[in-house]
Amino acid sequence: EVRIVESGGGLVQAGGSLRLSCTASVFHFDDYAIGWFRQAPGKEREAVSAISSDGSTFYADSVKGRFTISSDNAKNTVYLQMNSLKPEDTAVYYCAVTFHMSILLSGSGSWGQGTQVTVSS
């Protein structure tokens, strides 16, 4: 029932920036959580960043200080601003949506199709 549209992936040189967007039909609920996961070749899926309706946020240690998550409820959109990108950030990034942060971070929810981020040396 929840439709998710992702955009913003692409190819960028190390040190560059990208902004990912996730639009989902969940912002009218009192409680929600939206975030980004990524999976790189040869690595397990990991939670990157998330934001919930109560304003709480989550960042993986590997992206703290470089990535910023924000939301625009009027546009039903969550943004992930990625700065100072490194080759190890290369992965397929997936947007996930559910009603609680704890559920989201467990890996459960509705998922987008993924958008590829490639960071070259």
Side-chain angles (χ1 to χ4, degrees):
E1 293 182 350
V2 176
R3 293 189 174 184
I4 301 169
V5 180
E6 303 164 336
S7 64
L11 174 65
V12 65
Q13 292 186 344
S17 299
L18 288 171
R19 189 180 73 165
L20 305 184
S21 298
C22 176
T23 300
S25 59
V26 71
F27 290 89
H28 62 281
F29 291 106
D30 289 340
D31 299 315
Y32 63 83
I34 303 177
W36 294 91
F37 292 72
R38 69 185 181 187
Q39 187 164 24
K43 295 184 177 180
E44 296 182 347
R45 182 189 65 187
E46 64 173 336
V48 178
S49 185
I51 188 167
S52 64
S53 53
D54 65 2
S56 63
T57 57
F58 164 84
Y59 294 96
D61 288 342
S62 60
V63 307
K64 288 180 179 178
R66 299 189 298 120
F67 292 10
T68 303
I69 193 166
S70 62
S71 63
D72 185 340
N73 288 359
K75 297 182 181 295
N76 295 326
T77 300
V78 166
Y79 304 97
L80 184 67
Q81 180 67 44
M82 306 188 296
N83 297 327
S84 302
L85 284 163
K86 305 174 181 179
E88 52 262 43
D89 294 317
T90 296
V92 177
Y93 285 69
Y94 300 92
C95 182
V97 178
T98 189
F99 298 106
H100 304 283
M101 180 72 81
S102 60
I103 297 174
L104 180 68
L105 295 180
S106 76
S108 297
S110 299
W111 294 76
Q113 81 287 351
T115 183
Q116 187 168 3
V117 172
T118 302
V119 184
S120 63
S121 300

